[in-house]
Amino acid sequence: MVQSDRSPSHRLGRRGVLKAAGAAGAAAIGGTAALAATRAAAAAPASRPAGNYRIDVHCHIIPDFYRESLADHDITDIGGVPVPAWTPELAVDFMNRYGIQTQVVSVSEPGVEYLPTSDARMEMAQKLNDYISETLVHTRDAKLARRFGGFAMLPLGDLTTSDDIENAITEARRAIDELKLDGIGIFSSYAGVYLGDPRLDPLMEALDDLGAMVFIHPVTPQHYPDLGLPPFLYEFTFDTTRALVNMLYKKVYTRYTGIRWLGAHAGGTLPYISYRTSLLYSKTVGLAQLLGADRLDDTNVLYKRLFVDTALSPAPQSMKSVKELTGVGHILFATDWPFTAELFPGAGDPAPQLGETFTSSQRLKVERDNAREQFPLLVRRLES
């Protein structure tokens, strides 16, 4: 989203924060990262493959036509960072340097929400989805083949009328049935309307019918307090959490059991506060009834049906909490590239911190096997 009205300190951006972290990280944390890398390397047995084996489920594309459209609408930064460089070739180079076999790509904020009409949003969403399908997922270019999966972009922006919802249903079905994409991308909120809002129910029914994997990506929330820091640093996690909690209390998880939900960045802050946020259902039934909320089943209250990714969250402070909440089988490897490009200047293990939470066999599940179980079309392409 455009942040031109923010203070200069706000425009430090994701790039500046990540560059500073990369340059000063070892000194700032007293060598913890180096120690973690050493432990991970020492613990890695032959069962973890060599070469490109990881599947990255959270990374983004910025085709030239989309970058130009953003610029035409004065959008020059996303989440507090200047729009980064991206091409398919840069993506493949990154994957090769960090042992990644495939990226399942999506579009970050602002998606198509910045466009002024439903027709314009639909046109851009279709153009993006056609690009993902034809240029990346089902490409005939030998250098790109089998290197990409894709989440479809939905033409959502204005939820005050039914036009965007109807278009989103149409495009979701086209993306899965015709374009053969691997899932659907959706944002945590749209102009302050969060997932779980009843206006989205027809779309939820369609996604349920499709049995889709739906990737929830955060956005910069409306009217957030400006601390002079880029919103990706913390507001993104809070917005994901708002959506996941709202979906619980609106019974999304129990009404639409055919949908598999993938929450970005370890599910935001949800793993840490999952108990607290479920108290109205699991403990204080009277208060829940007072607020007009019915009690839900225990499995739903514990959010155990959710999948989460490791993007910007591989450290044990996040992963141990996620492991307690969802179990190892619901955690998928991710990098958030190219927005995290400053964190990946070299080559090797892209997330050595995972070795502090997971055994080597568990890391293989997180980094590859769990994604293979959830993306059958991707597996078919990889094995074709």
Side-chain angles (χ1 to χ4, degrees), residues 46-57:
S47 61
R48 285 180 58 200
N52 297 337
Y53 69 92
R54 298 177 175 92
I55 298 176
D56 184 350
V57 301

Side-chain angles (χ1 to χ4, degrees), residues 204-284:
M204 297 298 107
E205 293 173 7
L207 297 177
D208 189 58
D209 289 339
L210 291 168
M213 170 66 84
V214 180
F215 174 48
I216 303 173
H217 192 277
V219 296
T220 304
Q222 291 189 331
H223 314 303
Y224 69 92
D226 184 6
L227 304 182
L229 294 168
F232 92 91
L233 201 60
Y234 51 94
E235 290 294 346
F236 271 23
T237 62
F238 300 156
D239 216 58
T240 299
T241 305
R242 294 183 188 104
L244 295 175
V245 172
N246 195 47
M247 291 162 69
L248 171 69
Y249 284 88
K250 298 301 191 298
K251 301 184 182 181
V252 169
Y253 306 133
T254 51
R255 286 191 290 151
Y256 308 111
T257 56
I259 302 174
R260 289 161 297 142
W261 298 100
L262 173 59
H265 306 119
T269 64
L270 182 69
Y272 180 73
I273 62 172
S274 58
Y275 174 80
R276 179 189 180 108
T277 61
S278 67
L279 285 177
L280 286 183
Y281 283 132
S282 62
K283 299 296 180 184
T284 318

Side-chain angles (χ1 to χ4, degrees), residues 32 36 313-322 352-358:
T32 300
S313 309
Q317 296 92 324
S318 298
M319 287 295 101
K320 289 184 179 180
S321 183
V322 167
Q353 304 95 329
L354 293 176
E356 297 185 64
T357 300
F358 305 107

Side-chain angles (χ1 to χ4, degrees), residues 132-145:
I132 293 172
S133 179
E134 296 168 9
T135 304
L136 301 178
V137 175
H138 302 292
T139 183
R140 295 183 179 181
D141 185 335
K143 295 180 180 178
L144 304 182

